[in-house]
Amino acid sequence: MTQAQQAAIEGWYTMDQDQPALLGSRCESCGTYSFPAQYSFCRNPDCESTAFSETPLSRKGKVWSYTNASYQPPEPYVAAEPFVPFAIAAVALEHEQMTVLGQVVSGVGVDDLQVGMEMELVLEPLYSDEEGDKLIWKWRPAA
Amino acid sequence: MAENIAILGAGMHPWGKWGKNFTEYGVAAAREALADAGIKWSDVGFVSGAATMRCGYPGYVAGATFAQALGWQGAEVNTSYAACASGSQALAAARSKILSGQCEVALVVGADTTPRGFLAPAKGYRPEDPDWVRFYLGITNPTYFALYARRRMDLYGDTLEDFASVKVKNAAIGSANPRARYRKQFSAEDVAASPMVADPLRLMDICATSDGGAALVVSSESFAKKIGKADAPRVAAISTVTPSFASAVVEMPDIATDSAAADGIEAQSFRALLPVKAYEEAGLGPEDVDFAEVYDLSTALELDWIEDLQLCERGAAARLTRNGDTKVGGRLPVNASGGLACFGEAVPAQALAQVCELTWQLRHEAGPRQIDGAKVGITANQGLFGHGSSVIVTR
């Protein structure tokens, strides 16, 4: 990783270039996961736990659904000039029993995706500025 | 089963992009509802306002704002904020006040003036706010609608033509609704020619935001009888339940769903749970429903709602629409008002506007939009932060 690459959101994922992972939390009492991580209460109505640990979430999951963003989103989205449409996927993580949204890597669109397809987590620039690339998690069809 | 309350009057300020203060729309709707009910403003004991929240926008004091604009007369007031379900929650507050014997007649009002352009969060670097995060990632409201639509295509074989047919249907009937904002008929070709916003949804698949106001005058059944309105439509059920854990469908503005990993926890769908309490409360089932007003934020979402209300099997709503079952004159008309496709969304007024349409249909006053023999109508909507509602009105 070069010095010019920074996280677009600090602390939400590891910056491991080969095997990045989202950093969620896990309730030490009932095993419920949360993303983004939260450490003060458990959302499980049957659980009053106050103990949580940070945990990397599964790096692979299956497409729950997907779309292309054909219109330039408003701020705080930082758009390239000209705007380049991109795909978004909701990916279901088997172990955590939860679905996580994310952009799909550049060059992959709705025509390349299907519900149930296996995806893996990678890092790619969300945008770049004078300080360098700001990296975010993205979903990529699994090799 | 809960006790019913009577709907004595309904009123609306037409939807549009009028750019006036929201109070004006609320007052116009309230006056129309009072006149419709034959009730004097001074006889209203409780004003229940439906509110919205935006930076610098005083909609959050809706109950008192409407009461002041109509002229202070000492009524008690309440203000409800529940995103798209605000109107139903305000109606529920009025029902509680009436059924507990604390007032005889209540006025329920919701009105909105929407800002121009995209609804976007406050600026800065604020990752603790899920609404900020999703916009930062380029995830807009239509993104969520598109995810639901695309899933229908892959799971059930729905097509872009199916989605467009919802717009064509709603535009056809909504063009006959004088209170609707968009009163133009559209063809499938028109929809197909509109720009792609969030694949598979085009601009004409997605609803706009509008200005508008809606109001209801409600009372106890005994009061309705006393003033000769024993046959007024009845509110038979109001469901404003939260989701149940684990909410497994990704919802605006979240970046992830709940986790259903814990023992004994199952994945749940909020939309599907909303009408369950309504049916229970009314002592009715989906087989009793004659027509529905559902929240078609997108064309495809109307199809999801039809299934969530259990009006057909999961995955069968596109076929229902293709058969013409959901148009006025069909077996089970959906959005005979023209729906959000023709109105655009005026958040705190919209859930009440749905009940207004039910009221007029049940009184056989819907003119060219009239559904023959309508006896039981149901509404459904869902908005941000775990808010949603379903109301059943009978006559």
Side-chain angles (χ1 to χ4, degrees):
Chain A
M1 185 169 68
T2 67
Q3 278 190 328
Q5 292 190 312
Q6 297 172 325
I9 306 177
E10 293 279 347
W12 280 37
Y13 38 93
T14 66
M15 289 292 279
D16 183 331
Q17 288 287 18
D18 295 326
Q19 305 271 311
L22 297 170
L23 291 172
S25 59
R26 183 178 181 277
C27 172
E28 291 184 3
S29 176
C30 76
T32 290
Y33 291 87
S34 288
F35 183 76
Q38 66 80 25
Y39 298 101
S40 39
F41 48 82
C42 184
R43 288 187 179 180
N44 180 349
D46 301 326
C47 182
E48 295 179 13
S49 173
T50 54
F52 304 89
S53 51
E54 183 180 85
T55 183
L57 302 183
S58 300
R59 295 190 54 257
K60 288 189 176 176
K62 287 186 173 157
V63 171
W64 184 84
S65 194
Y66 53 99
T67 176
N68 271 1
S70 312
Y71 256 55
Q72 181 174 322
E75 289 181 46
Y77 181 77
V78 183
E81 288 283 347
F83 168 69
V84 182
F86 57 93
I88 295 162
V91 174
L93 308 181
E94 172 71 24
H95 179 70
E96 292 81 0
Q97 288 290 296
M98 69 193 293
T99 301
V100 181
L101 288 180
Q103 287 191 11
V104 175
V105 291
S106 51
V108 176
V110 286
D111 293 340
D112 308 309
L113 298 169
Q114 191 126 41
V115 168
M117 182 183 279
E118 187 160 0
M119 304 290 274
E120 67 178 324
L121 197 87
V122 296
L123 296 180
E124 224 186 46
L126 177 63
Y127 66 98
S128 302
D129 61 14
E130 59 279 5
E131 293 174 6
D133 292 340
K134 298 289 195 295
L135 300 184
I136 195 79
W137 79 88
K138 293 192 186 181
W139 296 110
R140 179 178 72 189
Chain B
M1 276 173 67
E3 271 186 75
N4 297 343
I5 57 168
I7 300 175
L8 302 180
M12 281 169 66
H13 182 288
W15 262 228
K17 208 74 173 178
W18 313 105
K20 298 176 190 166
N21 188 286
F22 76 100
T23 318
E24 198 168 317
Y25 314 136
V27 168
R31 293 223 162 104
E32 187 182 317
L34 287 164
D36 184 37
I39 295 288
K40 284 194 298 184
W41 160 232
S42 54
D43 292 335
V44 171
F46 184 60
V47 181
S48 196
T52 191
M53 290 193 193
R54 294 191 191 107
C55 300
Y57 174 67
Y60 58 88
V61 288
T65 301
F66 296 134
Q68 183 189 37
L70 290 160
W72 297 127
Q73 42 81 312
E76 292 184 280
V77 297
N78 161 76
T79 293
S80 296
Y81 174 75
C84 301
S86 297
S88 301
Q89 204 174 77
L91 180 61
R95 181 176 69 165
S96 298
K97 201 80 172 169
I98 290 164
L99 293 182
S100 64
Q102 294 180 69
C103 85
E104 278 194 312
V105 181
L107 172 66
V108 188
V109 193
D112 198 11
T113 300
T114 46
R116 288 183 180 280
F118 266 111
L119 299 176
K123 293 181 178 155
Y125 177 77
R126 301 184 301 107
E128 70 285 352
D129 175 1
D131 207 32
W132 181 90
V133 170
R134 55 110 172 189
F135 274 108
Y136 186 51
L137 266 57
I139 297 171
T140 60
N141 293 8
T143 300
Y144 294 88
F145 312 151
L147 291 171
Y148 309 148
R150 177 60 69 174
R151 191 166 162 81
R152 293 193 63 85
M153 293 173 74
D154 279 18
L155 260 54
Y156 312 135
D158 287 13
T159 64
L160 270 61
E161 291 71 28
D162 290 329
F163 302 153
S165 73
V166 174
K167 174 71 173 185
V168 172
K169 168 185 75 76
N170 289 347
I173 195 73
S175 67
N177 189 341
R179 294 175 174 91
R181 174 179 175 190
Y182 303 104
R183 274 173 279 161
K184 190 171 177 293
Q185 302 222 23
F186 292 107
S187 65
E189 292 72 32
D190 294 330
V191 181
S194 69
M196 190 65 84
V197 174
D199 194 298
L201 300 177
R202 296 178 180 278
L203 192 60
M204 289 182 66
D205 286 300
I206 298 167
C207 92
T209 60
S210 292
D211 298 359
L216 297 168
V217 174
V218 289
S219 77
S220 63
E221 293 198 285
S222 60
F223 182 88
K225 204 170 173 183
K226 199 169 78 186
I227 64 165
K229 289 181 183 272
D231 64 344
R234 281 352 191 221
V235 177
I238 307 171
S239 167
T240 58
V241 297
T242 68
S244 290
F245 189 84
S247 186
V249 177
V250 69
E251 308 274 13
M252 253 176 350
D254 294 333
I255 207 82
T257 63
D258 287 341
S259 149
D263 280 348
I265 295 296
E266 283 179 22
Q268 308 272 358
S269 157
F270 182 34
R271 274 201 314 268
L273 288 174
L274 272 165
V276 172
K277 188 222 172 194
Y279 285 133
E280 280 174 12
E281 201 171 276
L284 297 169
E287 67 282 1
D288 299 311
V289 169
D290 297 316
F291 68 110
E293 285 284 312
V294 305
Y295 229 55
D296 55 323
L297 292 166
S298 81
T299 49
L301 199 56
E302 175 171 310
L303 304 178
D304 282 327
W305 276 122
I306 291 168
E307 295 161 11
D308 290 321
L309 291 176
Q310 303 168 38
L311 301 176
C312 70
E313 280 175 30
R314 193 61 69 185
R319 192 174 69 233
L320 217 63
T321 305
R322 253 178 258 139
N323 292 347
D325 289 346
T326 60
K327 66 182 185 192
V328 171
R331 187 168 61 77
L332 187 73
V334 176
N335 285 332
S337 67
L340 295 178
C342 298
F343 275 78
E345 190 187 17
V347 176
Q350 210 67 46
L352 291 173
Q354 291 183 319
V355 179
C356 286
E357 178 68 12
L358 261 50
T359 302
W360 291 317
Q361 289 287 353
L362 291 168
R363 295 195 327 207
H364 299 273
E365 292 173 4
R369 295 176 290 110
Q370 184 60 48
I371 299 160
D372 285 342
K375 300 238 179 275
V376 177
I378 189 167
T379 75
N381 67 55
Q382 188 207 340
L384 294 172
F385 318 122
H387 290 116
S389 68
S390 180
V391 175
I392 296 175
V393 183
T394 62
R395 187 174 186 224

